Amino acid sequence: MDYKKELEQFRKRIDQIDEQILKLLNERAKLAQEVGHIKKQFNLPIYVPSREQAIFERLEKLNKKFGELFPTDAVKPVFREIISACRSTEENIKVAYLGPRATFTHQASLKHFGQAVEHIPVSTIKDVFEEIVKEKVDFGVVPVENTIEGIVNYTLDLLVDYPLKITGEIILEISLHLMGINPDVKEIVRVYSHRHALAECRDWLMKNIPHVQLIEVESTAKAAEMAKDDYEAAAVASEAAADIYGLHIIERKIDRHIHNFTRFLVIGKDIPQRTGNDKTTFIFSVKNEVGALYKTLEPLYKHGINMTKIESRPSKKEAWDYIFFTDIEGHIQDKKVKKALEELSKISPFFKILGSYPKAR
């Protein structure tokens, strides 16, 4: 048998499998619609993070049993889009994020919710909170900390001021790529990007294309938008920008720092159910006395709760008065977490649970 006939046979079989997959996807969407009808009838939330997390974990375990010819790392991204598309048949979920399009916050929103929700860019972090409070959107995505630049204090302050809950978190690797409509790096005359991105990538740019003109623009997303119409130009931007503006990624990861990650928070109105692999975030204040912080946190030690982060911020009520943002392992539905926080709240003059949500992996 010559190779052309053999290839044709395999391709026909792949086409048949694709048709079977498409048929099953439509069956899944139909079932999702039925689930949506029941949820609406009983006023239940359409988006249930704990259920989605359970689906991902179950399928990844199954894939390992099947031999992992299909990479296990690809299972979650593929099924995230399947779930997102099926969920859209139940209800049109709206998500506000710190824009514009193709920013890292947009990329984080896509990573968490998938393509089949309405991602709405807004101008400020405060606008994200406002859109949820005004019920114009269902959820929001905001940056909260970066491994290099540290905490986004404004996000923390807004979590104190607004009656919203953290419903999830997203950990996104921050990588900057060189991209353009012309894949030939030798023909690039100018490079657009935000000044911080250009500074982060200056070493690579000066070493590999020292002749180019570096042009500062207001954002990496704007740089990608400008590069799509300029054959002699390239942009330094995110992978999401390349996808949105149809650009070739000429060179990946040209920034100086490795292990550069940003943590984003998903915010909404309700605390999701426990998954067994959760995190709880709360804020508290302490009395102005010796050993106050130690005494306030003692219930966590007493009940064996692991504290993964603590960050102080001025309370804005009086000089030198602080509140503490704290992350612990576990969910407020866990007995030991519930007990520890009940005891802590009695010691602290001010205490507020900001959310219990699935840990990002």
Side-chain angles (χ1 to χ4, degrees), residues 267-319:
I267 52 175
K269 291 191 171 182
D270 301 304
I271 292 178
Q273 296 294 308
R274 70 187 297 275
T275 67
N277 187 31
D278 303 291
K279 182 184 288 187
T280 295
T281 300
F282 62 93
I283 51 177
F284 68 93
S285 64
V286 297
K287 297 175 182 177
N288 186 15
E289 61 185 34
V290 175
L293 182 59
Y294 169 80
K295 291 175 184 176
T296 306
L297 292 174
E298 192 174 16
L300 300 182
Y301 173 76
K302 176 183 171 183
H303 291 281
I305 307 297
N306 185 30
M307 182 175 66
T308 59
K309 188 174 188 63
I310 186 167
E311 190 84 23
S312 65
R313 287 288 294 147
S315 70
K316 300 180 181 178
K317 293 181 179 178
E318 58 183 85

Side-chain angles (χ1 to χ4, degrees), residues 101 179-182 192 221-235 241-248:
R101 292 172 72 234
M179 59 192 69
I181 53 173
N182 181 1
Y192 301 110
K222 181 64 176 178
E225 184 182 8
M226 293 174 70
K228 76 180 176 64
D229 298 318
D230 190 341
Y231 194 77
E232 293 183 332
D243 292 338
I244 288 170
Y245 294 106
L247 302 176
H248 300 285

Side-chain angles (χ1 to χ4, degrees), residues 77-194:
V78 167
F79 275 87
R80 182 192 301 114
E81 293 302 332
I82 291 172
I83 291 169
S84 178
C86 289
R87 196 197 306 121
S88 71
T89 67
E90 302 174 46
E91 185 177 288
N92 180 32
I93 290 179
K94 296 180 180 179
V95 181
Y97 68 90
L98 179 63
R101 292 172 72 234
T103 59
F104 287 109
T105 311
H106 186 199
Q107 193 169 324
S109 186
L110 290 168
K111 179 180 178 181
H112 189 80
F113 288 98
Q115 299 276 354
V117 305
E118 190 175 349
H119 298 273
I120 301 171
V122 296
S123 300
T124 67
I125 294 175
K126 185 177 181 180
D127 288 340
V128 175
F129 284 77
E130 286 285 342
E131 292 293 287
I132 301 169
V133 169
K134 293 175 181 176
E135 298 187 344
K136 292 183 178 180
V137 301
D138 303 289
F139 298 96
V141 177
V142 292
V144 70
E145 64 177 311
N146 176 264
T147 51
I148 294 171
E149 297 180 2
I151 288 290
V152 181
N153 289 317
Y154 191 41
T155 298
L156 298 187
D157 293 341
L158 291 169
L159 287 168
V160 177
D161 295 339
Y162 281 81
L164 299 176
K165 299 297 183 185
I166 302 169
T167 67
E169 65 174 355
I170 309 150
I171 307 296
L172 185 71
E173 183 178 9
I174 304 302
S175 296
L176 293 166
H177 314 295
L178 186 71
M179 59 192 69
I181 53 173
N182 181 1
D184 189 351
V185 70
K186 295 177 182 177
E187 296 182 7
I188 295 172
V189 174
R190 51 196 157 268
V191 174
Y192 301 110
S193 198
H194 186 273

